[in-house]
């Protein structure tokens, strides 16, 4: 495996684990209340801006992944879409790049 692919994989793992730590910490303090979590994301204008920034990036990434998977007929890349929306762009983007950079053959 190339150094670049290993880097993408490491970033995908980091992008899954690091943000999840904070979500799990929040759930431990506040209970599993998704409505309260979304409300906490919009506590001020700065955090709302960040939420919208990441939401738009996730949608753009999804459109790109679908277009690329259809054009390349490389359906394994579609797994990055649920990773993006269930974990975050920090996991979905490097995961897709890891899958896309797989040597053909």
């Amino acid at each position: 495996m190339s150094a670049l692919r290993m880097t993408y994989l490491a970033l995908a793992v980091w992008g899954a684990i690091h943000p999840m730590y904070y979500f799990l910490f929040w759930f431990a303090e506040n209970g599993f209340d998704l409505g309260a979590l979304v409300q906490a994301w919009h506590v001020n204008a700065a955090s709302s801006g960040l939420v919208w920034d990441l939401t738009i990036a996730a949608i753009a990434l999804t459109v790109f992944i679908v277009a690329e998977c259809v054009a390349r007929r490389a359906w394994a890349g579609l797994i990055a879409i649920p990773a993006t929306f269930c974990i975050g762009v920090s996991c979905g983007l490097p995961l897709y790049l890891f899958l896309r950079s797989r040597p053909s053959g």
Side-chain angles (χ1 to χ4, degrees), residues 51-69 77-78 80-81 84-85 88-89 92-94 96-97 100:
V51 168
W52 280 110
D53 180 64
L54 290 172
T55 301
I56 293 165
I59 292 168
L61 177 59
T62 299
V63 170
F64 176 71
I65 290 171
V66 169
E68 284 279 300
C69 286
L78 293 174
I81 295 172
T84 298
F85 286 96
V89 176
L93 176 58
Y96 179 71
L97 293 173
R100 188 180 187 280

Side-chain angles (χ1 to χ4, degrees), residues 6-45:
M6 289 176 59
T7 301
Y8 289 149
L9 182 58
L11 288 169
V13 170
W14 183 24
I17 294 172
H18 197 126
M20 200 55 61
Y21 167 81
Y22 292 100
F23 287 129
L24 293 175
F25 184 76
W26 190 90
F27 286 132
E29 283 187 344
N30 300 286
F32 192 78
D33 185 352
L34 293 178
L37 178 63
V38 171
Q39 188 176 20
W41 288 343
H42 293 282
V43 71
N44 60 46

